[in-house]
Amino acid sequence: MDLQKIKTLAQGILDEIATGTAPQPLPEPVPEPVPTPTPVPVPPAPPVVGGAVAKDVADIIAKLKAGDKVIKVRKGNLGALTINSVSAAGAEIVPEDPADAATFSSISVSKSPGIDILDFRVVGAVANKNDSSPNYLIKSDGGLRLHSVTVMSRDDATDCMNWAKADWLAWAWSGIQFTGPGNAAHTCRLFGVNFGLSTVAPDNFLTSNTIFGCSADGIRLNGDRCRAIGNKASDFVLIDSNHPDALQAFGKYNSTAKTYADLTGLVIEDNEFIEWTVNPNNPLRAKMQGIGGYNGKWINASVKRNKIKTTSYTGVTINNLINGAVEDNYMGNIDKVSADCARFKVSGSGNSIARNQSPHFLTAVDATNVKAPF
C-alpha cells in the first residue's frame, strides 16, 4: 500500500474518533450460568421389620404365646425347639441375622398350625443309630411352613460323601416328616440323611428342596393330594439291606387284609433324581431306584417332567395307575455304559402316557415315547 493511501485511511479513523462513531471495544464475555442439576430424590430406607428378639427356646415360646407375629431369634446353639398347643397362626420365626442363624438340634410342632419357620439350621446333636424306625429332625402334625431351612444329620454332613459306613449307621437321622395335613417345605437343604422328606398324611407340599447324601428313600408320599415339585435328590449310599429309592408312594397298610390303601391326586413333577454327582467310585454308592408305585392304586396322579439318572433297572414303575398322566419324563444310565436301564413300566387304565424317554419300555407305549440309550 502506498503512502498516500495509508494517510487517507489514518485520517478516516481520526475523523470517526472525532465524531464518536469509532467502533467500541467488545464487552467481556459473560459465561453462561451452569444449570443446577435437578436433585434426584433419595428413596426412603426400607422400614425396619418389627419383631421381638428371642435369645433362647423358652423366649421363643413365650413370645409366640404373647401374640408376636415376627420373632427374631438370636444366634447360638439353642437345642430342641418344641412348639405344642400354641395358637400363633400367622407368626414367623426368623433369624435375627440371616447370615449367622441359630442352630436347633430338632424342631417339633404339634397342635400349633399356621407358623412359618425360616432360614435356620437343624443339626443332629447326638448320634442316632440306624434301625427300622427312622427318627426325623423336623416333625409337624399340621400347618407348619418351612422355608430355606438347612437340615444336617451331623455338623459335618456337607462332607458326607467322605463318611465311612460306620458314620452313616451311627448318625442315621432322617430329615423332615409331616404327620398331619397342610404342611409345606420349600427350598430346604438336607445333607447326609437317612430318609429325606416324608409325608404320612394328605395335602402336604414339598417344593424346590435339595437332598445331598441319602441312605434310604429321598422322598416318601404316603398321603392323598401330596405334591413333590421341583425337588432334587442325589448321591445315594447303601449301608444296609434297604435299597434307596428316589421317590416312593403308597397308601396306609392294612395288616388284617394285607392290602394298601389307594392314593389319590399325587403330583410328582419337575424333580431330578441322580444316583451320584461327586464320586462314582464311592464304595458305598447305591443303585438308586427311581419313582416307585409298587403297592396299591394311584388314582388321578400326575407324573411329569422328572429326570432320573441311575444304574438301577427301576426308572419309573407304577403298578396300578388309574386315570393318571405320565408324560415327558426322562430316565437313563448315569454312567452311560448300559442301554438297559433305567426302565419304564406303567400298568393300569385310563392313563395318558406320552413323550417319555427310556432305554427300555416294559409296557406298550405309543410312538410319542422315545427309546434311547441315554
Side-chain angles (χ1 to χ4, degrees), residues 79 102-107 117 120-125 136-138 146 149-154 175 189:
T103 297
F104 298 104
S105 58
S106 64
I107 295 176
I117 297 178
F120 292 102
R121 285 164 36 99
V122 180
V123 181
Y136 286 84
L137 290 167
I138 300 178
L146 297 167
V149 174
T150 298
V151 182
M152 304 166 65
S153 59
R154 200 169 73 181
R189 302 187 305 156

Side-chain angles (χ1 to χ4, degrees), residues 13-137:
I13 293 171
L14 292 173
D15 291 344
E16 288 177 358
I17 294 173
T19 58
T21 60
Q24 300 298 311
L26 294 174
E28 290 292 328
V30 177
E32 293 185 9
V34 178
T36 304
T38 304
V40 177
V42 178
V48 177
V49 176
V53 175
K55 59 184 180 297
D56 55 32
V57 167
D59 215 1
I60 295 171
I61 303 302
K63 287 172 170 50
L64 282 173
K65 290 181 176 179
D68 292 315
K69 291 303 182 185
V70 178
I71 300 168
K72 298 179 178 179
V73 181
R74 193 149 290 165
K75 66 182 180 180
N77 291 306
L78 304 187
L81 173 61
T82 301
I83 303 172
N84 182 28
S85 300
V86 178
S87 297
E92 290 187 359
I93 305 173
V94 301
E96 183 181 33
D97 178 3
D100 193 7
T103 297
F104 298 104
S105 58
S106 64
I107 295 176
S108 175
V109 179
S110 59
K111 301 177 183 177
S112 308
I115 296 174
D116 288 64
I117 297 178
L118 295 78
D119 299 318
F120 292 102
R121 285 164 36 99
V122 180
V123 181
V126 296
N128 180 66
K129 187 177 179 181
N130 181 61
D131 57 31
S132 59
S133 300
N135 295 311
Y136 286 84
L137 290 167

Side-chain angles (χ1 to χ4, degrees), residues 119-178:
D119 299 318
F120 292 102
R121 285 164 36 99
V122 180
V123 181
V126 296
N128 180 66
K129 187 177 179 181
N130 181 61
D131 57 31
S132 59
S133 300
N135 295 311
Y136 286 84
L137 290 167
I138 300 178
K139 292 188 75 169
S140 169
D141 68 359
L144 173 65
R145 294 180 292 269
L146 297 167
H147 307 261
S148 302
V149 174
T150 298
V151 182
M152 304 166 65
S153 59
R154 200 169 73 181
D155 59 5
D156 65 340
T158 55
D159 191 42
C160 62
M161 286 298 102
N162 289 316
W163 285 0
K165 181 178 179 178
D167 296 303
W168 285 99
L169 290 170
W171 292 84
W173 285 105
S174 294
I176 300 169
Q177 185 178 56
F178 296 143

